[in-house]
């Protein structure tokens, strides 16, 4: 799938509405439409990258930015001390359904381990 027909690229472009909770020059975050915890956000790069498998060496700074954004959001929302979870599903076997890389940020309830 190219960026052109990608759901999250359309959210980045503003063509599909989303409840944006963070944005900077490289990253946006918005509430998940089907939350799995009291707080569930998706942190994504503006740039279209399909999966973790598609990362290149030059993407290391961008991936760092995703996690720094997740940390900033968790801190702002008051979850830093209690804890939160970040998840990146890679490909269908791991539950990836939208092929634009994203970090799930989950918080607000006890989060069991191991996950399903
Ligand atoms: P994945 O299963 O690929 O790891 O995560 C995709 C996530 O995107 C799911 O948690 C799903 O609920 C969320 N999602 C799918 N479509 C939309 C949408 O149109 N808007 C928003 N805000 N989230 C979506
Ligand atoms: Zn995309």
């Amino acid at each position: 799938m190219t960026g052109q027909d990608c759901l999250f690229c359309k959210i980045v472009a503003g063509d599909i509405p989303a409840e944006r909770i963070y944005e900077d020059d490289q990253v946006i975050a918005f509430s998940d439409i089907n939350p799995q915890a009291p707080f569930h956000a998706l942190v994504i790069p503006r740039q279209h990258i399909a999966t973790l498998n598609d990362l290149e060496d030059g993407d290391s700074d961008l991936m760092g930015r995703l996690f720094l954004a997740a940390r900033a959001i968790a801190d702002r929302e008051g979850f830093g001390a209690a804890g939160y979870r970040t998840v990146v599903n890679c490909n269908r076997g791991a539950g990836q359904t939208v092929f634009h890389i994203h970090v799930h940020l989950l918080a607000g309830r006890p989060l069991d381990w191991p996950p399903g």
Side-chain angles (χ1 to χ4, degrees), residues 37-84:
F39 184 87
H40 185 175
L42 301 170
V43 186
I44 75 169
R46 292 181 185 273
Q47 177 192 340
H48 181 84
I49 298 171
T51 80
L52 277 177
N53 288 339
D54 300 294
L55 286 175
E56 297 173 2
D57 287 349
D59 297 322
S60 59
D61 182 61
L62 180 59
M63 290 307 291
R65 296 280 295 267
L66 290 183
F67 283 95
L68 286 170
R71 183 191 71 173
I73 296 162
D75 184 51
R76 187 185 73 198
E77 300 292 330
F79 298 118
Y84 55 91

Side-chain angles (χ1 to χ4, degrees), residues 68-104:
L68 286 170
R71 183 191 71 173
I73 296 162
D75 184 51
R76 187 185 73 198
E77 300 292 330
F79 298 118
Y84 55 91
R85 181 167 296 162
T86 54
V87 176
V88 183
N89 297 322
C90 181
N91 274 344
R92 292 191 193 281
Q96 186 174 8
T97 57
V98 178
F99 288 82
H100 180 127
I101 202 166
H102 49 279
V103 177
H104 293 262

Side-chain angles (χ1 to χ4, degrees), residues 3 6 8-9 48 100:
C6 165
F8 286 177
C9 282
H48 181 84
H100 180 127

